[in-house]
Amino acid sequence: MTRALNTIWGIVLAAGSGTRLAEATQGERKQYLEYKSAPLFWHCARTFSRVARVKGLVFVFPPEDVPTMEKRLRQYFKSEDLGLKWTIVAGGARRQDSVRHGLTALPKDCGGVLVHDSARPFVAPRIITDLIASLDTGARGVIPAIPVTDTVKQVTAGTVAETLDRSELVAVQTPQAFETVLLKQAHEQAEAEGWDVTDDASMVERLTTVSVIPGEARNIKITVPDDLKYLETTKTTVPCVGWGYDVHRFGGSNDRPLVLGGVPIAGSTTIVAHSDGDVLLHALMDAMLGTFGGGDIGRHFPDTDPAFKGADSSVLLREVLSMAEEAGVHFVHTDLTIITQSPKLAPHADQITKNVCRLLGLERHQVNFKATTEEKMGFTGAKKGIKAVASVTGLRDL
C-alpha cells in the first residue's frame, strides 16, 4: 500500500536530567552541551530541516527551562531560519510523559510524527527520509536499528542464564516514526494502564506491528562520560570561494569622482552612486561575503540608508573583514577585473593593487588586478558605465 501522510512533524526530546553525565559536565544537562558551537538539540533540529517532508518541530524542555529556552529558540531561528514551524512544551517526569506532552502540541493535520532524542545529535537525514518512506508505504510504526555485534548473554544472580542468538538482536535508535493517531492511542492506553517503557515502539508493539529500517552506527546517544569524546572536535580548515559583481553608471559634473580600489582616478569621469561608487571594492565585498554566506552589500549597507551616503568603501570593507573574521574566514587570494572603455586604467594598476593588498592585509602575489574593454560593445563600450567582477579565495575554520 502506498500513501502519503499529509503533514509530518518531529518531536525533539530535550527534557532529560542527564544524571549519568552530571559530574563530567559540571551539572550541565546533556541536551545543552555544545558541539561545533551549537547545542545538541539544535543539531537535531538542523537535520530535521534538511528533510523536505518535515514541516515542523515540537521542542520538549524541562518545565523550569521553558521560558529561557523559548527566548533562546527565537534567537536561533532568527539567526538561522530552518524553514520549519515550531513550538515548545514542558516535559514530564519520565521520557514517555515528555513524549505525551509533545503529542498535545502537534497540529490537527499532523498525520505522521517522528520522536527523537536530542542526545543523538549525529542522526543523518537519510534515516528520517527512510522512516517517512516506510510510513508512506503502509507501516504504522517504524524504527531504525543496527545489528548487535557483541555476544549477548542473559545473566541472573551473577551467572549466565542463557546466551542469546545475536542474529535476532538489534540495537534500537531514534527517531522513531508513527502514525500520529496510533502513537496518541498508545500513550493514552499506557497512561490508563500504567505501562512504564523506555521507548515509544515498546508501547506501539502492544497494539500493532512495528517495522525496522537500517540505522547507522554513527547515530550514537550521548549517555555516559566516555561518550563526551564524540563531542570533541578537531579544527578543520576548508577552502571557500566567493564571486562578486557590481556596476555603476557614469555621471555628470555634479556626480561623484571616480574611485577604484580606494584610489582616486584623476580626470573628468564621474559616477552616479549613493556611496563613493567604488565599483571595484563593491564587487570585492560581495565576493568576500560570498565565502561565508553573508549575503550582499545591499543587505548590510543599503543605498536607502542616509548613513551610507557618500560612504568610503574602504571603511565598509573593514566592516566586511570583521564579519569574515567572526565567521572564521581569512582571505588568501583575490582576482579583480574592471571592465570599462574609459578611462585607461593601466597607469593606475600598480597603485590599485597595492591599496587592495593594504586593505586586505595580503602580499602582492595574493592580489591580481586587471582591466579590459568589451571592444566598444554594450553599455561599457558606449562609455555609459563601468563594471567590476571579483573572485576571492578564503580558508574557513570549521
Side-chain angles (χ1 to χ4, degrees):
M1 180 178 72
T2 301
R3 57 179 180 173
L5 295 175
N6 51 352
T7 303
I8 304 288
W9 274 57
I11 296 177
V12 178
L13 298 173
S17 59
T19 53
R20 282 174 285 184
L21 280 173
E23 184 177 351
T25 63
Q26 289 75 53
E28 185 174 15
R29 298 178 191 268
K30 61 185 176 183
Q31 61 267 39
Y32 304 144
L33 294 175
E34 291 208 346
Y35 172 70
K36 292 187 176 180
S37 302
L40 300 192
F41 70 81
W42 190 247
H43 283 281
C44 299
R46 284 173 171 167
T47 303
F48 274 103
S49 75
R50 295 182 184 122
V51 179
R53 289 285 300 283
V54 177
K55 301 304 180 185
L57 293 175
V58 177
F59 294 90
V60 186
F61 291 106
E64 64 273 20
D65 292 353
V66 167
T68 299
M69 295 312 301
E70 184 166 14
K71 293 178 182 178
R72 194 172 174 187
L73 277 172
R74 289 187 189 281
Q75 187 58 45
Y76 279 132
F77 275 96
K78 183 178 180 181
S79 60
E80 185 181 352
D81 185 4
L82 299 184
L84 296 172
K85 297 178 181 179
W86 64 277
T87 189
I88 183 172
V89 298
R94 302 170 298 174
R95 182 188 186 278
Q96 66 194 70
D97 299 323
S98 293
V99 176
R100 189 176 69 254
H101 294 181
L103 289 170
T104 65
L106 294 173
K108 292 182 179 180
D109 66 344
C110 179
V113 60
L114 297 100
V115 182
H116 185 57
D117 296 321
S118 64
R120 293 186 186 270
F122 306 118
V123 62
R126 191 276 302 169
I127 292 179
I128 298 174
T129 299
D130 287 355
L131 289 169
I132 295 172
S134 187
L135 290 179
D136 285 341
T137 54
R140 303 193 66 197
V142 55
I143 60 176
I146 58 175
V148 173
T149 55
D150 294 327
T151 297
V152 179
K153 297 180 183 291
Q154 182 177 337
V155 176
T156 303
T159 61
V160 174
E162 182 182 359
T163 298
L164 303 179
D165 183 358
R166 69 183 182 189
S167 67
E168 297 179 350
L169 299 175
V170 294
V172 176
Q173 303 177 330
T174 69
Q176 298 182 355
F178 307 94
E179 289 181 358
T180 305
V181 291
L182 174 63
L183 188 57
K184 286 183 176 181
Q185 178 188 346
H187 274 272
E188 289 169 2
Q189 192 165 339
E191 185 70 5
E193 299 179 10
W195 302 350
D196 192 2
V197 300
T198 56
D199 73 346
D200 299 283
S202 300
M203 292 183 184
V204 175
E205 290 160 19
R206 305 187 188 196
L207 306 181
T208 189
T209 302
V210 174
S211 301
V212 178
I213 65 161
E216 291 184 356
R218 177 172 168 76
N219 185 22
I220 64 164
K221 185 178 182 182
I222 306 300
T223 306
V224 296
D226 192 51
D227 294 334
L228 295 176
K229 66 178 180 288
Y230 296 109
L231 303 182
E232 297 172 359
T233 58
T234 302
K235 185 181 290 185
T236 301
T237 301
V238 298
C240 47
V241 176
W243 190 85
Y245 171 88
D246 197 40
V247 58
H248 278 288
R249 289 188 292 115
F250 288 142
S253 58
N254 294 324
D255 290 301
R256 303 189 184 282
L258 181 62
V259 177
L260 295 174
V263 176
I265 307 299
S268 59
T269 304
T270 60
I271 288 290
V272 177
H274 181 69
S275 65
D276 64 1
D278 191 329
V279 66
L280 185 63
L281 291 190
H282 292 178
L284 175 58
M285 285 187 281
D286 269 349
M288 292 163 64
L289 289 165
T291 61
F292 57 92
D296 58 39
I297 58 173
R299 180 191 306 178
H300 299 285
F301 317 115
D303 59 12
T304 55
D305 190 337
F308 301 115
K309 185 174 183 180
D312 184 338
S313 293
S314 299
V315 175
L316 304 183
L317 185 140
R318 285 197 290 272
E319 292 290 325
V320 175
L321 278 172
S322 295
M323 297 178 205
E325 183 178 357
E326 186 175 344
V329 175
H330 65 277
F331 300 109
V332 296
H333 190 270
T334 184
D335 190 20
L336 308 166
T337 304
I338 289 284
I339 301 99
T340 187
Q341 199 68 36
S342 68
K344 299 297 183 183
L345 296 179
H348 307 283
D350 285 344
Q351 189 178 0
I352 290 173
T353 302
K354 289 178 182 178
N355 199 52
V356 172
C357 287
R358 178 184 65 83
L359 292 172
L360 296 180
L362 297 179
E363 300 294 330
R364 177 64 183 82
H365 67 276
Q366 295 174 294
V367 174
N368 188 53
F369 170 77
K370 51 194 179 297
T372 188
T373 71
E374 289 184 305
E375 300 293 335
K376 298 184 179 181
M377 296 184 292
F379 73 88
T380 63
K383 300 183 181 181
K384 293 181 179 180
I386 186 171
K387 58 185 175 182
V389 293
S391 68
V392 169
T393 303
L395 297 175
R396 187 172 190 180
D397 296 328
L398 299 176

